[in-house]
Amino acid sequence: MIDPSEIVNNLVAMLRDIPDLVQEMGGDPDKIYAYHDEYPKNVSLAQAIHNMPTPSIMAVWQGTQPGAFGGVDVWKHQITLFLRARDTFNGDTPSTYYKLFRLITKGIPTATGQEMLNATVHSACNAMDLPLIQRQTDAEALDYFEVPLSFTEMGDQ
């Protein structure tokens, strides 16, 4: 089994390499970042979500589960992207979260030249499974969106 933090870090690097996505982050690639569980520094994902700046994308490893791929037992790594869209102003189109989701799935990192849905995020994993986007609400009743991603290992490393 590979270290899922490698997937998270590679994913963040690839997302930062999509110019239009960085533009949606106000031009700041550091607003696309990883959350790694580290005691005692990072011990509350709920707090990290609450403290996300606007706009930002935070990538988090949620767990690993067994799976099957082509009749072979494999590991499936669950990574979630938590999204906070940029501020919108009078006259802006109401498509900020849709645009983020489209760039996460269809955006093309300059280094790979390939849409994220087909890109190799980690050399030991297949491209991401087709993701979904869903609304969530934080402790202060503020909405945000999350994009759960799944990466299937190509065998047991």
Side-chain angles (χ1 to χ4, degrees):
M1 179 185 326
I2 62 172
D3 181 345
S5 69
E6 294 174 15
I7 302 170
V8 171
N9 290 338
N10 290 357
L11 178 61
V12 166
M14 289 180 79
L15 293 173
R16 286 178 173 175
D17 196 34
I18 301 171
D20 290 341
L21 187 58
V22 171
Q23 185 62 35
E24 285 298 307
M25 297 295 111
D28 185 356
D30 290 337
K31 289 196 174 182
I32 303 170
Y33 60 96
Y35 173 91
H36 294 292
D37 297 284
E38 299 174 281
Y39 186 82
K41 187 170 90 174
N42 291 335
V43 295
S44 173
L45 180 56
Q47 177 127 14
I49 293 168
H50 175 73
N51 291 333
M52 287 177 65
T54 302
S56 63
I57 298 172
M58 180 172 61
V60 179
W61 172 61
Q62 296 282 50
T64 298
Q65 64 189 34
F69 187 79
V72 177
D73 292 334
V74 294
W75 296 108
K76 294 179 81 74
H77 302 283
Q78 310 304 316
I79 312 293
T80 299
L81 298 176
F82 294 92
L83 314 178
R84 293 255 191 225
R86 64 177 170 75
D87 293 342
T88 55
F89 301 98
N90 195 15
D92 285 351
T93 62
S95 61
T96 53
Y97 282 106
Y98 168 76
K99 188 171 185 180
L100 291 177
F101 183 60
R102 179 151 179 82
L103 288 168
I104 289 165
T105 57
K106 296 290 199 176
I108 300 173
T110 56
T112 66
Q114 191 172 38
E115 286 184 356
M116 285 298 295
L117 278 176
N118 301 314
T120 300
V121 173
H122 190 284
S123 61
C125 293
N126 293 309
M128 72 174 87
D129 293 348
L130 194 60
L132 63 97
I133 184 169
Q134 55 195 9
R135 180 183 304 272
Q136 297 295 336
T137 305
D138 71 13
E140 291 189 4
L142 298 175
D143 288 351
Y144 62 94
F145 280 80
E146 66 179 25
V147 178
L149 307 173
S150 182
F151 295 91
T152 304
E153 280 193 35
M154 293 183 256
D156 187 10
Q157 299 294 323

